[in-house]
Amino acid sequence: MSKTKNRSNAGFPTVRARRLRQNPALRRMVRETTLSPADFIYPMFIVHGQQVRREISSMPGVFQLSVDMLPQEAEELLELGVSSVILFGLPAKKDPIGEENFAEDGIVQQAIRVLRMTGSDMIVMTDVCMCEYTDHGHCGIVKDGKILNDPSLEILGKVAVSHAQSGAHIVAPSAMMDGQVFAIRRALNEAGFPDTPVMGYSAKYASAFYGPFRDAADSPPQFGDRSSYQMDPANRREAIREVELDVIEGADIIMVKPALPYLDIIRQTRDTFPNLPLAAYNVSGEYSMLKAAAQLGWLDEKKVALESLTAIKRAGADMILTYWAKDAARWLNE
Ligand code: PBG
């Protein structure tokens, strides 16, 4: 090699990328993305009954829990450094509009009160949607086989207010009805909750990766699918438009969902909206597929889970809704 080439700063052998990879301390020093238990939001499925802790068959390690199990669960989470949860409820009875969804003694309302009673500083978020509560399993009001937008907004507003009245810190609409963030913001303001933040499931795709969740929350649509309201997986520009609308409507936190198959959307959302907190939902199917492979001995669960969560953060998410919250916190604390 000529001297000039050797002196130039242009490349090898002057430049060696491996210099900073020589040992763990060096690698730690130049690490660009780090995970912390405080990044995680733990989804929980609340059921009626007592002493219920029922494992979801398609989601090993995730349980449906009755309200009396929550204080212990919250304590465990806080000890691990996970300081926020998002609640999903399974009602005692389903009907066309989902009455229990906004009932004072609804299952989520009970769960919120119990979690707030523990006096801990656990952030209690709630999913605001209709599919777990309606007999048709859709996320809005159904008429003649169609999912109606505007009449659903009124219900979503009532649900959000009911959650806030029970003590929810943050409400998170996931129904993908147009105008849902604005409808909820207005309902909260009118009910005396101007300070309750709204986390919008802003860019939520019609994804088959929600399959196991529908076992957990007993919420599969009884006819058709959700593609008339959730987004087409093929669309990227539209995601930016969806997020923009949530921002205009007053969302305090925005979200992309699912996470792993949509890292490009997370990245573009982060770049387009640099000043808003961005959440990503590492959904049930993302969890189940790695869990299944790990159970077969094909993948190392701890490594692939932490790698996945790191990738979601690296793509631009500030916080991650994940069923691995507890395990990941444990692994990070090891
Ligand atoms: C409610 C809702 C769903 C998920 C979160 N909120 C299901 C759906 O839209 O069908 C999915 C979460 C997951 O798969 O982990 N609409």
Side-chain angles (χ1 to χ4, degrees):
M1 199 163 285
S2 80
K3 270 188 177 167
T4 7
K5 242 191 190 149
N6 221 341
R7 267 200 309 272
S8 91
N9 213 15
F12 182 81
T14 307
V15 179
R16 286 178 185 272
R18 289 183 53 189
R19 278 189 200 116
L20 296 175
R21 294 179 198 148
Q22 292 182 81
N23 60 54
L26 268 174
R27 292 195 290 273
R28 238 190 335 268
M29 194 171 77
V30 299
R31 186 157 297 143
E32 299 173 38
T33 309
T34 51
L35 284 175
S36 138
D39 301 332
F40 306 139
I41 300 165
Y42 189 53
M44 296 207 289
F45 302 99
I46 320 297
V47 294
H48 286 274
Q50 284 192 346
Q51 298 284 306
V52 183
R53 192 180 157 79
R54 193 182 304 128
E55 192 165 28
I56 296 139
S57 58
S58 54
M59 301 177 73
V62 179
F63 297 82
Q64 292 176 338
L65 298 168
S66 53
V67 170
D68 55 319
M69 306 298 268
L70 295 181
Q72 191 193 323
E73 197 74 14
E75 198 179 314
E76 197 187 328
L77 283 161
L78 286 167
E79 223 153 80
L80 289 164
V82 179
S83 47
S84 54
V85 296
I86 182 160
L87 306 180
F88 297 89
L90 285 86
K93 232 175 54 215
K94 296 177 194 266
D95 58 73
I97 68 160
E99 297 278 351
E100 191 183 317
N101 210 354
F102 45 88
E104 203 192 323
D105 61 348
I107 192 65
V108 162
Q109 287 79 356
Q110 291 182 38
I112 300 166
R113 284 194 293 269
V114 164
L115 284 168
R116 292 302 310 274
M117 235 151 45
T118 61
S120 69
D121 52 6
M122 173 75 79
I123 302 288
V124 180
M125 307 190 186
T126 58
D127 184 79
V128 175
C129 194
M130 291 172 63
C131 59
E132 298 106 29
Y133 291 84
T134 51
D135 49 12
H136 46 71
H138 277 289
C139 307
I141 289 182
V142 172
K143 199 171 168 219
D144 302 330
K146 282 214 165 84
I147 291 83
L148 303 182
N149 195 85
D150 298 12
S152 305
L153 297 179
E154 197 189 321
I155 308 258
L156 293 170
K158 273 166 87 167
V159 174
V161 167
S162 164
H163 290 173
Q165 281 166 343
S166 305
H169 291 109
I170 299 179
V171 295
S174 70
M176 285 300 278
M177 295 297 126
D178 290 328
Q180 61 181 10
V181 169
F182 177 70
I184 286 174
R185 180 73 274 150
R186 193 172 55 185
L188 287 171
N189 292 355
E190 282 170 4
F193 297 100
D195 293 328
T196 302
V198 177
M199 174 168 79
Y201 281 68
S202 313
K204 177 175 175 181
Y205 285 88
S207 172
F209 285 99
Y210 307 152
F213 171 94
R214 292 175 189 170
D215 289 343
D218 186 26
S219 63
Q222 298 303 305
F223 67 90
D225 58 28
R226 305 209 198 288
S227 11
S228 76
Y229 42 107
Q230 298 181 348
M231 281 185 57
D232 183 340
N235 293 357
R236 180 169 57 87
R237 295 185 306 246
E238 191 190 351
I240 299 306
R241 187 163 161 71
E242 278 284 6
V243 176
E244 193 172 38
L245 290 170
D246 270 17
V247 174
I248 292 168
E249 290 175 32
D252 301 277
I253 303 173
I254 51 183
M255 192 200 298
V256 173
K257 176 187 175 193
L260 286 180
Y262 296 84
L263 294 177
D264 56 330
I265 309 297
I266 297 175
R267 168 46 54 196
Q268 198 179 347
T269 301
R270 163 48 73 228
D271 290 345
T272 314
F273 304 93
N275 301 326
L276 272 155
L278 172 60
Y281 202 138
N282 177 222
V283 303
S284 56
E286 302 174 39
Y287 175 85
S288 298
M289 64 180 173
L290 297 190
K291 202 80 184 176
Q295 285 190 346
L296 286 167
W298 293 352
L299 287 172
D300 178 327
E301 184 187 358
K302 171 179 162 181
K303 288 190 174 146
V304 291
L306 291 176
E307 185 177 332
S308 301
L309 295 167
T310 302
I312 294 165
K313 255 199 112 177
R314 189 197 61 227
D318 298 304
M319 54 196 109
I320 308 173
L321 294 85
T322 180
Y323 303 99
W324 271 301
K326 278 204 263 180
D327 291 332
R330 213 171 279 126
W331 293 326
L332 292 170
N333 293 332
E334 265 170 15

